Amino acid sequence: MTDLAVRLRGKGSALWALVAAVLSVVAICGVFLVAPEDADQGIIQKIFYFHVPIANTSLVAFGVACVAGILALRTRSPRWDEVLTASIGIGLLFAGLTIVSGSIWARASWGHWWRWDDTRLTTYLIIILIYAAFFVLRSSVEADRRARFSAIYAVIAFASVPLSFYAVRIATSFIHPVVFNSHGANLPDSMLVWFIVSQAAMLAVFIAFLLLELTQRRTESSLRRLRLALDA
């Protein structure tokens, strides 16, 4: 990648960071100042507007890694290896935030931080463990086979993601609402609009993080090549 491309990607990450910041501020203001308060759970229910979008974004990140893995296998281009590795790392970050926010919500609603009998929680934890193992196994593979192994792993691991969508539909706990079903949105408009804004904000944050991570990786690669050239 040329220096111009690196600068353009850096400007792109800055632009997406601005978009993410604006959408996040709008979402926070809308959720706490405009969106109606739940009659049963009270203000703690407003964590729904962030918990669910963050969880969805983590799965989107894993989906991006899967697509990047397929492209890496087809093209053998190292840039797709960078994309899938960065996407999985960011996806795990969002997954961690999902666990934290979900535990807070569960504590207030159930009186427990975690319940092993909840299908949704258990399947999501399995997904996290599968993707967390990616970095452990990647570091143990020889450098010449690492990219191919990572691509295959990213594609196969994504098979666990549909379990999360299925689990939320068979879960019996009210704390895991089905936002969209076959009939459309399962929320009143006063709640749906701020859920969509929050979801857009989280997706923008993911894109900004991804571009920033890729820019950093490319910059480090350029610096390594420059040092080697100077040494030579």
Side-chain angles (χ1 to χ4, degrees):
M1 179 176 287
T2 64
D3 292 339
L4 175 60
V6 172
R7 288 197 296 269
L8 289 176
R9 180 171 284 179
K11 291 181 179 179
S13 61
L15 176 61
W16 275 104
L18 177 61
V19 172
V22 171
L23 287 175
S24 297
V25 170
V26 173
I28 292 172
C29 293
V31 166
F32 289 102
L33 300 179
V34 181
E37 186 171 306
D38 185 79
D40 297 323
Q41 299 186 50
I43 194 172
I44 192 63
Q45 184 271 341
K46 290 183 181 291
I47 202 171
F48 154 81
Y49 294 97
F50 304 100
H51 170 71
V52 178
I54 290 173
N56 290 340
T57 304
S58 71
L59 301 182
V60 169
F62 298 145
V64 171
C66 177
V67 174
I70 294 173
L71 294 174
L73 292 172
R74 292 186 60 183
T75 66
R76 308 287 181 169
S77 174
R79 67 175 180 174
W80 294 118
D81 179 63
E82 294 177 350
V83 172
L84 73 88
T85 305
S87 294
I88 291 177
I90 298 171
L92 286 173
L93 172 62
F94 276 90
L97 293 175
T98 300
I99 294 297
V100 172
S101 58
S103 296
I104 296 173
W105 191 6
R107 175 65 175 177
S109 299
W110 292 334
H112 301 281
W113 295 104
W114 187 272
R115 287 184 58 170
W116 289 105
D117 60 341
D118 187 87
T119 307
R120 180 67 173 88
L121 295 177
T122 306
T123 54
Y124 190 75
L125 179 61
I126 292 173
I127 293 174
I128 292 176
L129 294 176
I130 289 174
Y131 278 98
F134 167 82
F135 291 101
V136 178
L137 297 176
R138 176 182 169 88
S139 63
S140 64
V141 177
E142 295 83 354
D144 57 334
R145 297 193 304 164
R146 187 170 297 159
R148 181 174 176 80
F149 168 82
S150 299
I152 294 174
Y153 192 99
V155 173
I156 295 176
F158 189 71
S160 64
V161 171
L163 291 174
S164 180
F165 290 99
Y166 177 69
V168 78
R169 282 157 176 75
I170 65 174
T172 57
S173 58
F174 70 92
I175 199 172
H176 288 131
V178 178
V179 181
F180 295 97
N181 53 34
S182 58
H183 302 290
N186 196 29
L187 292 173
D189 293 342
S190 57
M191 297 177 63
L192 178 62
V193 63
W194 295 112
F195 172 81
I196 292 175
V197 173
S198 296
Q199 184 65 78
M202 293 303 102
L203 290 174
V205 170
F206 163 68
I207 294 173
F209 279 1
L210 180 60
L211 292 176
L212 181 62
E213 177 67 17
L214 294 177
T215 300
Q216 180 180 345
R217 288 172 178 266
R218 289 294 184 173
T219 302
E220 291 175 351
S221 178
S222 299
L223 290 175
R224 283 195 299 268
R225 288 197 299 268
L226 180 59
R227 283 196 296 266
L228 290 174
L230 291 174
D231 292 340

